[in-house]
Amino acid sequence: MAVRIKVGLIANTEFSEPLELALRDAGPNIDFEVRFYDHQDEAGRLAHELEGIVDAILFSGPVPYYVALAERPLTVPASHVVFDEASLVKAFFDLVRAGVDPATISVDTVSDGAVIDVCRELEIDASGIRNMPLVDGRIHDDFTGFHIEHYRAGHTRHALTCRSIVKHELAAAGVPCHFMFWTKHTILKALDLLVSNLLQQRYRGSQIAIGLLRVNTPQFNGAIADARRHALALETYLLAFSDRLGVNLLDIGSGLHLFYTTYGALRRQTEGFTVAPALEPVPLPGFSLQIGIGTGASAAIAEDGARKALHQAEQRADDGLYIVFDGDRLVGPLGQDRTRLIRVEDAAIVQLAERTGVTAANLARLLETVGEDRSRAYSAVELAAILDSTSRTARRVLTRLTEAGFAVPVGESTPIGQGRPSTLYRIDLTVPGDLSS
């Protein structure tokens, strides 16, 4: 039997018609409670009304979402529709049909990366476009003043906004303006993501978690009795580890042990993935212990994540525990004074993602590899290996980091034989906020 989900929708009244058209293609097992507002400040009250009767809430844009969160945290999963590249492409075509050159406009809310990508795709000169992205949820920045300043200075001829309050203020100031709507695909994508996250939260406690534990033993040349004592001490340590985590260890050879648990049990044992209570130093000289744990909806995903996490742990010279969630999100190392948590759900990572247009998952991988080492320079090929992506994706990431001020080209690497030189970039991902535990 299919699970029915009730989703609350909070939107500006100007979105009523496109919203109604989009929801006709929503899944058959989703029921909706829709609330419209005339002013963004009503979003918090409407969210409070919906919390008790819906499973999740989707806001029509970032502004009502951040308004509601500013009043108080929401008790149900919530997200907002993103004005993405597809929405921007549609807006540009609308402008062209209206006789407006997109190369002469000012834009707000959308990321710099989205504007650059769309202009490149449509072969539009982006040098004359002025953009003011929404950064760190700062919805009260003067977006209206931004458009007016550039229009009156002659820098732009038209404004493009996705905020109704800005549209009305620009009309009153005599600035020609186009209102940007998201596409049907954009809202359905946001809805699918929200529902997916909701179901994941509901059933994640029973997801499988697989761990791989490697014991590195030094060459031992002592007496046989000492060797046996060391082996017994190590076995006692591993038994204590398995008892604390509530698992059975299976020796699969070459110093590698396998264990199974669940996401819910792992979360309890690690206190929300912040500590590793079982990971005490091995009480033997020269021994080290690396642990990689993976979680996922299937054993294959969890095992693949465990191998990725163990690979990260083995890069360290001492003990370490890493966890990979669903094959692509990394936390670690846990359980040490210098533990650094690289979590895509961290507010600082999310803020950096919004600022750069680079996904939080890719930023987490970069932070884990680059860390605080600002001396090394990377090419697109090297970055692709770090991100486990194509060179094209890596170049796009480098472009966005450079535009946001987090990467600087510092030279070129000349290939041996034929081939074009590769630009080298120094990356400085100084993230606001404290990522240390």
Side-chain angles (χ1 to χ4, degrees):
M1 181 178 177
V3 178
R4 296 202 67 83
I5 295 173
K6 180 174 284 189
V7 175
L9 288 165
I10 297 177
N12 188 289
T13 52
E14 300 196 44
F15 288 117
S16 58
E17 185 175 341
L19 182 62
E20 181 182 350
L21 292 173
L23 296 185
R24 291 177 184 175
D25 291 333
N29 298 313
I30 304 177
D31 299 317
F32 296 101
E33 285 284 341
V34 183
R35 300 289 187 274
F36 292 107
Y37 62 84
D38 293 314
H39 193 280
Q40 61 190 36
D41 290 343
E42 301 173 55
R45 174 182 59 80
L46 296 176
H48 179 64
E49 290 177 3
L50 288 173
E51 281 180 298
I53 59 174
V54 300
D55 299 304
I57 298 176
L58 181 65
F59 294 84
S60 62
V63 173
Y65 172 76
Y66 285 115
V67 166
L69 286 185
E71 291 191 10
R72 62 179 179 81
L74 299 174
T75 58
V76 297
S79 64
H80 63 82
V81 181
V82 177
F83 290 90
D84 58 4
E85 285 91 343
S87 305
L88 195 57
V89 168
K90 179 180 181 300
F92 278 12
F93 278 116
D94 290 341
L95 287 170
V96 171
R97 281 196 294 267
V100 177
D101 181 2
T104 62
I105 65 171
S106 54
V107 186
D108 66 52
T109 304
V110 299
S111 69
D112 289 330
V115 173
I116 291 169
D117 284 350
V118 169
C119 287
R120 186 181 296 123
E121 187 73 21
L122 300 181
E123 298 182 349
I124 295 173
D125 182 8
S127 61
I129 296 178
R130 303 294 189 268
N131 186 40
M132 183 176 181
L134 177 64
V135 178
D136 300 342
R138 298 203 302 263
I139 58 175
H140 297 297
D141 287 354
D142 189 6
F143 292 93
T144 302
F146 157 78
H147 288 291
I148 293 175
E149 177 184 352
H150 285 293
Y151 178 75
R152 291 180 176 171
H155 301 152
T156 60
R157 300 176 184 174
H158 209 92
L160 177 62
T161 183
C162 48
R163 302 186 59 177
S164 60
I165 191 170
V166 173
K167 183 188 76 169
H168 295 308
E169 289 173 348
L170 290 177
V175 177
C177 177
H178 178 76
F179 192 47
M180 180 168 65
F181 290 97
W182 24 249
T183 64
K184 180 177 73 172
H185 168 76
T186 301
I187 189 171
L188 290 178
K189 183 173 69 173
L191 181 61
D192 286 343
L193 183 60
L194 176 63
V195 171
S196 175
N197 289 339
L198 172 64
L199 293 176
Q200 189 177 60
Q201 287 185 31
R202 282 186 176 180
Y203 303 117
R204 195 167 199 182
S206 60
Q207 276 190 350
I208 192 170
I210 294 179
L212 291 171
L213 181 152
R214 183 179 296 283
V215 179
N216 296 301
T217 58
Q219 190 71 29
F220 190 76
N221 298 317
I224 294 177
D226 290 337
R228 288 176 176 172
R229 277 196 296 271
H230 279 76
L232 180 60
L234 180 60
E235 183 178 350
T236 301
Y237 177 85
L238 293 177
L239 285 173
F241 168 87
S242 62
D243 286 343
R244 288 170 184 166
L245 209 57
V247 300
N248 293 318
L249 286 177
L250 175 64
D251 188 344
I252 58 177
S254 302
L256 198 60
H257 296 73
L258 176 75
F259 62 88
Y260 292 86
T261 183
T262 64
Y263 177 95
L266 182 64
R267 183 182 183 88
R268 289 191 298 273
Q269 291 291 343
T270 58
E271 298 181 19
F273 311 114
T274 58
V275 298
L279 189 59
E280 298 174 354
V282 180
L284 296 169
F287 284 76
S288 64
L289 194 70
Q290 286 87 39
I291 303 172
I293 300 176
T295 73
S298 68
I301 295 174
E303 183 179 353
D304 181 64
R307 295 190 182 280
K308 290 179 180 178
L310 182 62
H311 175 72
Q312 291 292 334
E314 288 175 334
Q315 304 308 303
R316 301 171 56 85
D318 53 3
D319 300 336
L321 186 156
Y322 286 77
I323 304 173
V324 169
F325 299 100
D326 303 315
D328 66 354
R329 290 176 294 166
L330 179 72
V331 177
L334 274 66
Q336 300 170 38
D337 292 339
R338 57 187 178 277
T339 294
R340 182 180 179 87
L341 300 184
I342 307 300
R343 303 176 65 175
V344 297
E345 60 265 36
D346 279 348
I349 299 272
V350 173
Q351 290 173 8
L352 185 57
E354 292 177 349
R355 184 173 300 173
T356 60
V358 177
T359 67
N362 279 340
L363 287 172
R365 293 188 183 100
L366 280 175
L367 279 166
E368 175 58 24
T369 303
V370 176
E372 298 177 356
D373 181 9
R374 304 183 183 96
S375 60
R376 182 179 171 183
Y378 297 86
S379 68
V381 173
E382 291 172 313
L383 199 67
I386 293 171
L387 300 178
D388 192 22
S389 68
T390 64
S391 295
R392 181 179 179 181
T393 296
R395 281 192 290 270
R396 186 163 59 244
V397 168
L398 283 169
T399 297
R400 291 181 175 178
L401 290 175
T402 302
E403 291 165 351
F406 292 95
V408 178
V410 293
E412 291 183 338
S413 64
T414 304
I416 298 175
Q418 296 182 342
R420 298 169 57 187
S422 298
T423 303
L424 298 175
Y425 295 82
R426 184 168 293 124
I427 300 172
D428 181 2
L429 292 176
T430 303
V431 182
D434 186 11
L435 287 179
S436 299
S437 174

